[in-house]
Amino acid sequence: RACMLVPVYSAHFPVLDARIQMTQAMNVGPIVKTVVVFSDDGEHQAFCDAYPQSCSRAVGFHGISLDGLLGKEENNNLQKILGMKKGGFKL
């Protein structure tokens, strides 16, 4: 089975939509799963609202969020460490 892990943020949404649609159009055999990692549930919902045709298990889409995986506090700390939010320290 094939699977693609795709970390994404809102600026990438149009490209992610195109990628999912092209993968679906060119797919032969079992559906290629696209596991999309959003920062939070709000980003996940925003993508699904804007691109409902790509936000479906029928095309292999599986969305998860760092908030869901790490918890909101740990995700917030990680984003600070990575310089994605103000505060925290740099590695």
Side-chain angles (χ1 to χ4, degrees):
R1 295 185 181 201
C3 174
M4 292 186 286
L5 180 64
V6 183
V8 68
Y9 66 102
S10 60
H12 294 155
F13 286 1
V15 176
L16 175 61
D17 173 55
R19 173 191 240 179
I20 291 171
Q21 293 303 309
M22 285 187 283
T23 299
Q24 178 67 14
M26 302 300 290
N27 194 56
V28 182
I31 294 174
V32 174
K33 307 281 191 268
T34 301
V35 180
V36 182
V37 183
F38 297 94
S39 179
D40 57 44
D41 293 333
E43 281 188 352
H44 184 173
Q45 189 61 53
F47 176 77
C48 290
D49 290 346
Y51 303 97
Q53 72 281 1
S54 290
C55 186
S56 166
R57 298 226 175 196
V59 295
F61 173 87
H62 296 271
I64 58 176
S65 73
L66 290 176
D67 274 357
L69 290 170
L70 303 174
K72 290 184 182 207
E73 184 176 342
E74 285 304 316
N75 184 26
N76 190 44
N77 290 336
L78 175 64
Q79 289 186 28
K80 287 178 183 176
I81 290 167
L82 296 175
M84 298 169 69
K85 286 189 175 182
K86 294 190 184 243
F89 57 92
K90 306 269 184 177
L91 294 178

